[in-house]
């Protein structure tokens, strides 16, 4: 790397810091770096970009975490967003990834982090779960999917069924999917009580859907994802739960198979097609 590239990298880093944390930039440094405009000082010129940059990124986070914004309120969410952007500035060519680290940032910076779990604030647990759900949902918008290809019907043999590529299995301490959809419907839900919840989030025909499932169904689908062997997963569930294998097969065939196929849980196995990885 030559000296010009070194200077450019330093200037780029300084510019990013100036945009994300404008209070830390002195007027003398700005005047020494930029030329004035026809009617504005260097500091006034930079201030235009500082305001618009943060507002644009904050608006992106509001779009990616609408239920979190509703839960916190616009002013407090803006404070959280600004601090997050200062610590975790955009590191991708696309703003689609802007909120990637937001749930973990909330977890890492919770004020009661040093306390034992039983003494932590429940509303913080809820906010982390809610932000995690919104990120899980948002990242499926552009994930590799099955659009444009045929979906299996009930005639397809179980041995040929695997989970579709644009599907994630999630679990939370709170019913955050319910809260999110209440907010999106224009209602003002109260913070829900803690309740362990399991769900399938998937995209079919360019629309995302969330399907609540039981703990046992979650375990079964997790095994299908890991092994790509539906029959073997049913047998493993029977062994783990100590349910008779005939009852497990009967439940699969009569209670969930058709509805899950119609919802888009499964595709027909071809080659080495695999679901996307969870993060």
């Amino acid at each position: 790397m030559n000296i010009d590239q070194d200077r450019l990298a330093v200037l780029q880093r300084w510019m990013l810091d100036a945009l994300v944390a404008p209070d830390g930039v002195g007027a003398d440094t700005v005047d020494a770096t930029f030329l004035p405009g026809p009617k504005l000082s260097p500091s006034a010129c930079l201030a235009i970009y500082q305001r618009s940059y943060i507002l644009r990124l904050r608006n992106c986070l509001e779009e990616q975490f609408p239920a979190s914004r509703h839960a916190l309120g616009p002013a407090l969410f803006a404070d959280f967003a600004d601090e997050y952007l200062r610590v975790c500035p955009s590191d991708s060519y696309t703003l689609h990834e802007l909120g990637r680290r937001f749930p973990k940032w909330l977890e890492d910076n919770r004020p009661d982090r040093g306390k034992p779990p039983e003494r932590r604030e429940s509303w913080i647990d809820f906010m982390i779960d809610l932000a995690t759900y919104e990120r899980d949902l948002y990242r499926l918008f552009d994930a590799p999917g099955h659009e444009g290809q045929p979906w299996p019907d009930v005639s397809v043999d179980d041995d040929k069924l695997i989970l579709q590529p644009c599907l994630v299995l999630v679990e939370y301490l709170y019913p955050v999917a319910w809260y999110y959809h209440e907010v999106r419907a224009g209602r003002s839900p109260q913070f829900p009580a803690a309740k362990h919840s399991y769900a399938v989030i998937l995209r079919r025909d360019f629309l995302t859907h969330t399907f609540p499932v039981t703990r046992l169904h979650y375990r079964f689908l997790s095994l299908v994802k890991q092994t790509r062997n539906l029959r073997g997963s049913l047998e493993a569930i029977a062994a783990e739960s100590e349910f008779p294998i005939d009852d497990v097969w009967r439940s699969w065939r009569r209670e969930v198979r058709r509805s899950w196929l119609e919802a888009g849980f499964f595709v027909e196995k071809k080659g080495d097609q695999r679901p996307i990885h969870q993060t």
Side-chain angles (χ1 to χ4, degrees):
M1 179 178 289
N2 61 42
I3 188 64
D4 290 336
Q5 291 174 318
D6 287 340
R7 289 175 177 173
L8 177 60
V10 170
L11 181 60
Q12 289 174 328
R13 181 69 249 184
W14 178 89
M15 184 65 180
L16 179 60
D17 291 341
L19 293 173
V20 175
D23 293 341
V25 180
D28 292 343
T29 304
V30 176
D31 291 342
T33 306
F34 295 107
L35 294 174
K39 297 182 179 180
L40 296 174
S41 68
S43 294
C45 291
L46 178 62
I48 296 173
Y49 290 95
Q50 289 170 327
R51 289 191 295 269
S52 60
Y53 180 79
I54 291 298
L55 286 174
R56 171 63 178 139
L57 296 188
R58 189 192 301 160
N59 287 340
C60 286
L61 287 177
E62 291 173 353
E63 293 172 1
Q64 294 180 22
F65 299 95
S68 296
R69 180 178 183 271
H70 174 86
L72 290 170
L76 184 55
F77 182 85
D79 290 342
F80 274 65
D82 290 354
E83 180 62 16
Y84 167 73
L85 293 170
R86 186 187 69 80
V87 177
C88 303
S90 177
D91 61 357
S92 172
Y93 70 93
T94 170
L95 292 179
H96 177 82
E97 293 296 316
L98 185 63
R100 183 184 77 253
R101 295 170 286 174
F102 189 58
K104 187 176 186 304
W105 178 82
L106 289 175
E107 173 66 43
D108 291 344
N109 291 275
R110 58 184 301 159
D112 58 356
R113 182 173 174 78
K115 296 181 180 180
E118 65 273 13
R119 295 183 58 193
R120 292 183 178 182
E121 296 286 341
S122 59
W123 74 270
I124 303 177
D125 292 329
F126 169 72
M127 290 306 310
I128 294 170
D129 262 10
L130 181 59
T132 301
Y133 171 73
E134 292 190 282
R135 178 59 193 169
D136 286 335
L137 190 66
Y138 188 82
R139 70 190 181 92
L140 289 192
F141 292 161
D142 290 334
H146 193 69
E147 281 79 10
Q149 302 179 61
W151 294 89
D153 58 28
V154 293
S155 66
V156 175
D157 188 86
D158 286 338
D159 290 333
K160 296 183 179 180
L161 293 177
I162 57 173
L163 294 183
Q164 70 128 309
C166 194
L167 178 151
V168 293
L169 305 170
V170 294
E171 60 176 310
Y172 308 104
L173 299 176
Y174 288 82
V176 288
W178 167 83
Y179 185 93
Y180 172 88
H181 289 286
E182 286 288 292
V183 171
R184 298 299 279 174
R187 293 184 279 270
S188 298
Q190 298 296 313
F191 277 23
K195 182 182 179 181
H196 215 110
S197 61
Y198 304 87
V200 172
I201 308 175
L202 61 82
R203 193 186 74 224
R204 174 167 179 163
D205 301 330
F206 300 106
L207 295 175
T208 56
H209 306 274
T210 301
F211 299 91
V213 294
T214 66
R215 184 195 65 79
L216 196 61
H217 288 162
Y218 176 89
R219 174 59 179 156
F220 164 62
L221 291 169
S222 297
L223 288 171
V224 174
K225 180 176 181 178
Q226 293 167 12
T227 66
R228 295 166 56 85
N229 184 330
L230 192 146
R231 290 178 181 271
S233 297
L234 285 169
E235 294 170 357
I237 284 294
E240 290 181 12
S241 63
E242 298 183 346
F243 290 154
I245 185 62
D246 289 345
D247 290 351
V248 172
W249 274 105
R250 188 178 302 110
S251 175
W252 160 246
R253 290 171 178 146
R254 295 182 180 180
E255 298 175 16
V256 297
R257 188 180 194 273
R258 177 182 290 273
S259 61
W260 286 1
L261 279 167
E262 292 175 349
F265 282 35
F266 299 99
V267 294
E268 190 170 351
K269 188 184 301 184
K270 293 180 181 178
D272 195 34
Q273 185 180 17
R274 294 181 179 274
I276 62 175
H277 293 293
Q278 289 179 259
T279 57

